[in-house]
Amino acid sequence: MPNPPAAVISHLTIRLATPADAVAIAALSRAQIEHGLPWTWREPRVRAAIADPDTNVIVVGRPGAVTAFGLMYYADDDAHLLLFAVHRSQQRRGIGSALLQWLEDAARAAGASRIRVEARLDNEAARSFYNEHGYHEGEIVGRMYSGTLDGVRLEKWLREPG
Ligand SMILES: CC(C)(COP(=O)(O)OP(=O)(O)OC[C@H]1O[C@@H](n2cnc3c(N)ncnc32)[C@H](O)[C@@H]1OP(=O)(O)O)[C@@H](O)C(=O)NCCC(=O)NCCS
């Protein structure tokens, strides 16, 4: 998997996360993604993902002041977007789109065929965001999250299967 350098997209700097970002990423995950659910992405798990060569973790913002991040795991031909969030105060400014573009470029460069992602069924913002970026909704899974909240699987093919 490639390990591209920090990229500047217009005024926005996207960089690879370092261990110093783990606390902020875990906090953002708690507030924006895992709210109302058990907190599974705590600092040690995030730190392990940052160190994992099969995972790309990217951020916007200085260490300790991360305003957006994405965490993508690679397995076989697939890339799996496990965590993705933009701080509430920074949404609808194109930051999520820029991060997603970065991750898609990295997945293509790594030879991935497909990107998979899940969202809560009631998360209209995320579903609209991913649909806008060419992700197709597939299976709806009852009680996907902690055995309580329903979810939907989405995917985007980067190249023809096989
Ligand atoms: C989903 C999320 C990452 C989008 O980030 P963002 O930086 O606001 O997205 P962008 O500004 O790049 O939006 C691109 C397009 O996506 C769609 N979109 C984004 N947020 C939307 C919302 N709240 N409602 C409807 N459509 C939305 C729009 O088409 C938007 O284009 P527009 O602003 O020109 O209308 C952000 O809302 C978020 O962090 N949500 C909480 C965490 C989460 O749900 N993560 C994903 C599941 S793990």
Side-chain angles (χ1 to χ4, degrees):
M1 178 201 334
N3 226 8
V8 178
I9 298 175
S10 175
H11 62 290
L12 191 71
T13 300
I14 297 174
R15 62 178 175 83
L16 291 170
T18 74
D21 298 309
V23 169
I25 291 171
L28 207 46
S29 179
R30 177 63 174 154
Q32 299 279 104
I33 300 169
E34 297 196 284
H35 52 90
L37 293 169
W39 188 12
T40 65
W41 284 94
R42 293 169 186 256
E43 185 202 353
R45 188 177 179 194
V46 173
R47 197 178 272 269
I50 291 169
D52 176 11
D54 291 328
T55 305
N56 268 155
V57 187
I58 58 171
V59 295
V60 174
R62 288 178 286 106
V66 169
T67 54
F69 77 98
L71 189 154
M72 181 173 268
Y73 172 69
Y74 292 82
D76 302 322
D77 259 10
D78 274 353
H80 195 167
L81 187 50
L82 293 178
L83 290 177
F84 192 82
V86 176
H87 191 280
R88 203 163 275 116
S89 67
Q90 302 294 315
Q91 292 177 3
R92 301 304 285 267
R93 297 180 180 186
I95 295 173
S97 297
L99 276 174
L100 191 62
Q101 185 65 56
W102 193 107
L103 289 166
E104 289 185 0
D105 289 348
R108 277 196 188 85
S113 305
R114 173 177 68 160
I115 298 178
R116 295 186 294 125
V117 63
E118 288 90 37
R120 293 183 186 199
L121 200 58
D122 65 359
N123 188 347
E124 288 175 18
R127 292 175 66 183
S128 162
F129 172 77
Y130 290 125
N131 290 335
E132 194 66 26
H133 287 285
Y135 289 71
H136 299 288
E137 299 199 344
E139 187 187 7
I140 290 174
V141 182
R143 301 180 180 179
M144 176 189 273
Y145 295 97
S146 300
T148 52
L149 293 175
D150 298 344
V152 58
R153 297 191 200 282
L154 299 101
E155 65 179 21
K156 178 173 181 173
W157 285 94
L158 303 178
R159 57 184 167 88
E160 291 298 313

Short mmCIF file of all heavy atoms in Angstrom, two decimals, residues 17-35 38-47 50 57 59 66 69 71 83 85:
data_model
loop_
_atom_site.label_atom_id
_atom_site.label_comp_id
_atom_site.label_asym_id
_atom_site.label_seq_id
_atom_site.Cartn_x
_atom_site.Cartn_y
_atom_site.Cartn_z
N ALA A 17 -1.85 10.41 9.75
CA ALA A 17 -1.92 10.54 11.20
C ALA A 17 -0.64 10.00 11.84
O ALA A 17 0.01 9.10 11.31
CB ALA A 17 -3.12 9.77 11.73
N THR A 18 -0.30 10.56 12.99
CA THR A 18 0.80 10.04 13.80
C THR A 18 0.20 9.61 15.15
O THR A 18 -0.95 9.95 15.46
CB THR A 18 1.87 11.12 14.06
OG1 THR A 18 1.35 12.05 15.02
CG2 THR A 18 2.25 11.84 12.78
N PRO A 19 0.98 8.89 15.97
CA PRO A 19 0.43 8.47 17.28
C PRO A 19 -0.08 9.65 18.10
O PRO A 19 -1.00 9.47 18.90
CB PRO A 19 1.64 7.79 17.94
CG PRO A 19 2.44 7.26 16.80
CD PRO A 19 2.31 8.29 15.71
N ALA A 20 0.47 10.83 17.87
CA ALA A 20 0.03 12.01 18.63
C ALA A 20 -1.41 12.42 18.30
O ALA A 20 -2.01 13.20 19.03
CB ALA A 20 0.97 13.19 18.35
N ASP A 21 -1.95 11.87 17.21
CA ASP A 21 -3.33 12.21 16.81
C ASP A 21 -4.36 11.24 17.39
O ASP A 21 -5.57 11.46 17.25
CB ASP A 21 -3.45 12.17 15.28
CG ASP A 21 -2.57 13.20 14.60
OD1 ASP A 21 -2.63 14.38 14.99
OD2 ASP A 21 -1.81 12.81 13.69
N ALA A 22 -3.90 10.17 18.02
CA ALA A 22 -4.82 9.09 18.41
C ALA A 22 -5.91 9.56 19.38
O ALA A 22 -7.08 9.18 19.24
CB ALA A 22 -4.04 7.92 19.00
N VAL A 23 -5.55 10.38 20.34
CA VAL A 23 -6.54 10.84 21.32
C VAL A 23 -7.64 11.65 20.63
O VAL A 23 -8.84 11.45 20.87
CB VAL A 23 -5.85 11.69 22.42
CG1 VAL A 23 -6.89 12.39 23.29
CG2 VAL A 23 -4.96 10.81 23.28
N ALA A 24 -7.23 12.56 19.75
CA ALA A 24 -8.21 13.43 19.08
C ALA A 24 -9.10 12.62 18.14
O ALA A 24 -10.32 12.86 18.05
CB ALA A 24 -7.48 14.53 18.30
N ILE A 25 -8.52 11.64 17.46
CA ILE A 25 -9.32 10.81 16.55
C ILE A 25 -10.34 9.99 17.35
O ILE A 25 -11.51 9.91 16.97
CB ILE A 25 -8.40 9.89 15.72
CG1 ILE A 25 -7.59 10.71 14.73
CG2 ILE A 25 -9.22 8.82 15.00
CD1 ILE A 25 -6.50 9.91 14.01
N ALA A 26 -9.89 9.42 18.45
CA ALA A 26 -10.81 8.62 19.27
C ALA A 26 -11.96 9.50 19.79
O ALA A 26 -13.11 9.08 19.82
CB ALA A 26 -10.04 7.99 20.43
N ALA A 27 -11.62 10.73 20.19
CA ALA A 27 -12.66 11.64 20.70
C ALA A 27 -13.65 12.01 19.61
O ALA A 27 -14.87 12.06 19.83
CB ALA A 27 -12.01 12.89 21.29
N LEU A 28 -13.13 12.28 18.42
CA LEU A 28 -14.01 12.63 17.30
C LEU A 28 -14.88 11.44 16.91
O LEU A 28 -16.07 11.59 16.59
CB LEU A 28 -13.14 13.07 16.11
CG LEU A 28 -13.70 14.03 15.07
CD1 LEU A 28 -14.42 15.20 15.70
CD2 LEU A 28 -12.58 14.51 14.15
N SER A 29 -14.30 10.26 16.97
CA SER A 29 -15.07 9.06 16.66
C SER A 29 -16.20 8.89 17.67
O SER A 29 -17.35 8.58 17.31
CB SER A 29 -14.15 7.84 16.68
OG SER A 29 -14.88 6.68 16.42
N ARG A 30 -15.87 9.11 18.93
CA ARG A 30 -16.88 8.99 19.98
C ARG A 30 -18.04 9.97 19.75
O ARG A 30 -19.21 9.62 19.84
CB ARG A 30 -16.22 9.29 21.35
CG ARG A 30 -17.17 9.28 22.51
CD ARG A 30 -17.75 7.92 22.65
NE ARG A 30 -18.57 7.74 23.81
CZ ARG A 30 -19.55 6.83 23.86
NH1 ARG A 30 -19.83 6.08 22.82
NH2 ARG A 30 -20.24 6.67 24.95
N ALA A 31 -17.67 11.22 19.46
CA ALA A 31 -18.69 12.27 19.34
C ALA A 31 -19.50 12.17 18.05
O ALA A 31 -20.71 12.42 18.05
CB ALA A 31 -18.01 13.64 19.41
N GLN A 32 -18.85 11.79 16.97
CA GLN A 32 -19.51 11.90 15.66
C GLN A 32 -20.02 10.57 15.11
O GLN A 32 -20.91 10.56 14.27
CB GLN A 32 -18.52 12.48 14.64
CG GLN A 32 -18.02 13.85 14.96
CD GLN A 32 -19.02 14.91 14.55
OE1 GLN A 32 -19.73 15.46 15.39
NE2 GLN A 32 -19.12 15.18 13.29
N ILE A 33 -19.39 9.47 15.54
CA ILE A 33 -19.74 8.18 14.93
C ILE A 33 -20.35 7.21 15.94
O ILE A 33 -21.39 6.63 15.69
CB ILE A 33 -18.49 7.54 14.28
CG1 ILE A 33 -17.92 8.46 13.19
CG2 ILE A 33 -18.84 6.17 13.68
CD1 ILE A 33 -16.55 8.07 12.69
N GLU A 34 -19.71 7.07 17.09
CA GLU A 34 -20.16 6.05 18.04
C GLU A 34 -21.07 6.62 19.14
O GLU A 34 -21.27 5.97 20.16
CB GLU A 34 -18.94 5.36 18.67
CG GLU A 34 -18.10 4.61 17.64
CD GLU A 34 -17.14 3.64 18.29
OE1 GLU A 34 -16.12 4.10 18.84
OE2 GLU A 34 -17.41 2.43 18.25
N HIS A 35 -21.60 7.81 18.91
CA HIS A 35 -22.49 8.38 19.92
C HIS A 35 -23.69 7.46 20.14
O HIS A 35 -24.26 6.92 19.20
CB HIS A 35 -22.97 9.78 19.50
CG HIS A 35 -23.56 9.82 18.11
ND1 HIS A 35 -24.90 9.62 17.88
CD2 HIS A 35 -22.99 9.99 16.91
CE1 HIS A 35 -25.14 9.69 16.58
NE2 HIS A 35 -23.99 9.92 15.95
N PRO A 38 -21.61 1.74 22.49
CA PRO A 38 -20.36 1.54 23.23
C PRO A 38 -19.18 2.13 22.45
O PRO A 38 -19.14 2.05 21.22
CB PRO A 38 -20.25 0.01 23.30
CG PRO A 38 -21.65 -0.49 23.13
CD PRO A 38 -22.34 0.49 22.23
N TRP A 39 -18.25 2.73 23.18
CA TRP A 39 -17.10 3.40 22.56
C TRP A 39 -16.03 2.34 22.29
O TRP A 39 -15.32 1.92 23.21
CB TRP A 39 -16.58 4.46 23.52
CG TRP A 39 -15.51 5.35 22.94
CD1 TRP A 39 -15.11 5.47 21.65
CD2 TRP A 39 -14.72 6.28 23.68
NE1 TRP A 39 -14.13 6.40 21.52
CE2 TRP A 39 -13.86 6.91 22.75
CE3 TRP A 39 -14.64 6.63 25.03
CZ2 TRP A 39 -12.94 7.88 23.14
CZ3 TRP A 39 -13.73 7.59 25.41
CH2 TRP A 39 -12.89 8.21 24.47
N THR A 40 -15.93 1.91 21.05
CA THR A 40 -14.99 0.83 20.72
C THR A 40 -13.67 1.36 20.14
O THR A 40 -12.65 0.68 20.22
CB THR A 40 -15.60 -0.16 19.71
OG1 THR A 40 -15.84 0.51 18.47
CG2 THR A 40 -16.90 -0.74 20.24
N TRP A 41 -13.70 2.56 19.56
CA TRP A 41 -12.49 3.13 18.97
C TRP A 41 -11.85 4.11 19.96
O TRP A 41 -11.90 5.31 19.80
CB TRP A 41 -12.78 3.81 17.64
CG TRP A 41 -12.97 2.81 16.53
CD1 TRP A 41 -14.14 2.28 16.10
CD2 TRP A 41 -11.94 2.22 15.72
NE1 TRP A 41 -13.92 1.39 15.09
CE2 TRP A 41 -12.58 1.34 14.83
CE3 TRP A 41 -10.55 2.34 15.67
CZ2 TRP A 41 -11.88 0.59 13.89
CZ3 TRP A 41 -9.85 1.59 14.73
CH2 TRP A 41 -10.51 0.74 13.86
N ARG A 42 -11.26 3.52 21.00
CA ARG A 42 -10.54 4.34 21.99
C ARG A 42 -9.09 4.49 21.55
O ARG A 42 -8.66 3.88 20.57
CB ARG A 42 -10.63 3.68 23.36
CG ARG A 42 -12.06 3.68 23.91
CD ARG A 42 -12.18 2.80 25.13
NE ARG A 42 -13.56 2.70 25.55
CZ ARG A 42 -14.08 3.35 26.60
NH1 ARG A 42 -13.32 4.12 27.34
NH2 ARG A 42 -15.35 3.20 26.91
N GLU A 43 -8.35 5.31 22.30
CA GLU A 43 -6.99 5.66 21.87
C GLU A 43 -6.10 4.46 21.51
O GLU A 43 -5.45 4.48 20.46
CB GLU A 43 -6.32 6.53 22.94
CG GLU A 43 -4.96 7.01 22.47
CD GLU A 43 -4.05 7.39 23.63
OE1 GLU A 43 -4.52 7.40 24.79
OE2 GLU A 43 -2.88 7.69 23.37
N PRO A 44 -6.05 3.41 22.34
CA PRO A 44 -5.13 2.31 22.00
C PRO A 44 -5.47 1.65 20.66
O PRO A 44 -4.57 1.29 19.90
CB PRO A 44 -5.32 1.32 23.16
CG PRO A 44 -5.85 2.15 24.28
CD PRO A 44 -6.71 3.20 23.64
N ARG A 45 -6.75 1.50 20.37
CA ARG A 45 -7.14 0.88 19.10
C ARG A 45 -6.79 1.79 17.93
O ARG A 45 -6.33 1.33 16.88
CB ARG A 45 -8.65 0.56 19.12
CG ARG A 45 -9.09 -0.25 17.93
CD ARG A 45 -10.56 -0.60 18.03
NE ARG A 45 -11.01 -1.36 16.88
CZ ARG A 45 -12.28 -1.56 16.58
NH1 ARG A 45 -13.23 -1.07 17.35
NH2 ARG A 45 -12.62 -2.25 15.52
N VAL A 46 -7.03 3.09 18.11
CA VAL A 46 -6.69 4.04 17.04
C VAL A 46 -5.18 4.05 16.83
O VAL A 46 -4.68 4.03 15.70
CB VAL A 46 -7.19 5.46 17.38
CG1 VAL A 46 -6.70 6.47 16.35
CG2 VAL A 46 -8.72 5.48 17.47
N ARG A 47 -4.43 4.05 17.93
CA ARG A 47 -2.97 4.05 17.86
C ARG A 47 -2.47 2.80 17.11
O ARG A 47 -1.55 2.88 16.29
CB ARG A 47 -2.41 4.07 19.29
CG ARG A 47 -0.99 4.46 19.42
CD ARG A 47 -0.62 4.47 20.90
NE ARG A 47 -0.89 5.74 21.52
CZ ARG A 47 0.01 6.72 21.61
NH1 ARG A 47 1.21 6.53 21.13
NH2 ARG A 47 -0.29 7.85 22.20
N ILE A 50 -3.05 3.27 13.42
CA ILE A 50 -2.07 4.19 12.82
C ILE A 50 -0.76 3.45 12.53
O ILE A 50 -0.10 3.70 11.53
CB ILE A 50 -1.84 5.40 13.77
CG1 ILE A 50 -3.10 6.27 13.82
CG2 ILE A 50 -0.63 6.22 13.33
CD1 ILE A 50 -3.08 7.34 14.90
N VAL A 57 -4.51 6.00 7.87
CA VAL A 57 -5.26 6.93 8.72
C VAL A 57 -4.80 8.33 8.34
O VAL A 57 -3.60 8.64 8.41
CB VAL A 57 -5.00 6.69 10.22
CG1 VAL A 57 -5.94 7.56 11.06
CG2 VAL A 57 -5.19 5.22 10.58
N VAL A 59 -5.64 12.71 8.45
CA VAL A 59 -6.29 13.73 9.27
C VAL A 59 -6.17 15.11 8.62
O VAL A 59 -5.30 15.35 7.78
CB VAL A 59 -5.66 13.81 10.69
CG1 VAL A 59 -5.89 12.53 11.48
CG2 VAL A 59 -4.19 14.13 10.62
N VAL A 66 -7.35 17.98 15.70
CA VAL A 66 -7.80 17.32 14.47
C VAL A 66 -9.27 17.66 14.22
O VAL A 66 -10.11 17.53 15.12
CB VAL A 66 -7.60 15.80 14.59
CG1 VAL A 66 -8.30 15.05 13.47
CG2 VAL A 66 -6.10 15.47 14.59
N PHE A 69 -11.05 13.24 9.93
CA PHE A 69 -10.14 12.11 9.73
C PHE A 69 -10.85 10.99 8.97
O PHE A 69 -12.09 10.94 8.91
CB PHE A 69 -9.62 11.57 11.07
CG PHE A 69 -10.62 10.74 11.81
CD1 PHE A 69 -10.58 9.35 11.74
CD2 PHE A 69 -11.64 11.32 12.54
CE1 PHE A 69 -11.51 8.57 12.39
CE2 PHE A 69 -12.59 10.56 13.19
CZ PHE A 69 -12.53 9.17 13.11
N LEU A 71 -10.21 6.56 8.22
CA LEU A 71 -9.42 5.38 8.56
C LEU A 71 -9.87 4.25 7.64
O LEU A 71 -11.03 3.84 7.68
CB LEU A 71 -9.67 5.04 10.04
CG LEU A 71 -8.80 3.98 10.71
CD1 LEU A 71 -8.74 4.23 12.22
CD2 LEU A 71 -9.32 2.58 10.44
N LEU A 83 -13.77 4.20 9.56
CA LEU A 83 -14.15 5.39 10.33
C LEU A 83 -13.94 6.61 9.46
O LEU A 83 -12.92 6.70 8.75
CB LEU A 83 -13.28 5.55 11.58
CG LEU A 83 -13.43 4.57 12.75
CD1 LEU A 83 -12.40 4.92 13.82
CD2 LEU A 83 -14.84 4.60 13.32
N ALA A 85 -15.01 10.97 9.65
CA ALA A 85 -15.80 12.04 10.26
C ALA A 85 -15.15 13.41 10.06
O ALA A 85 -13.94 13.54 9.99
CB ALA A 85 -15.99 11.79 11.76
#
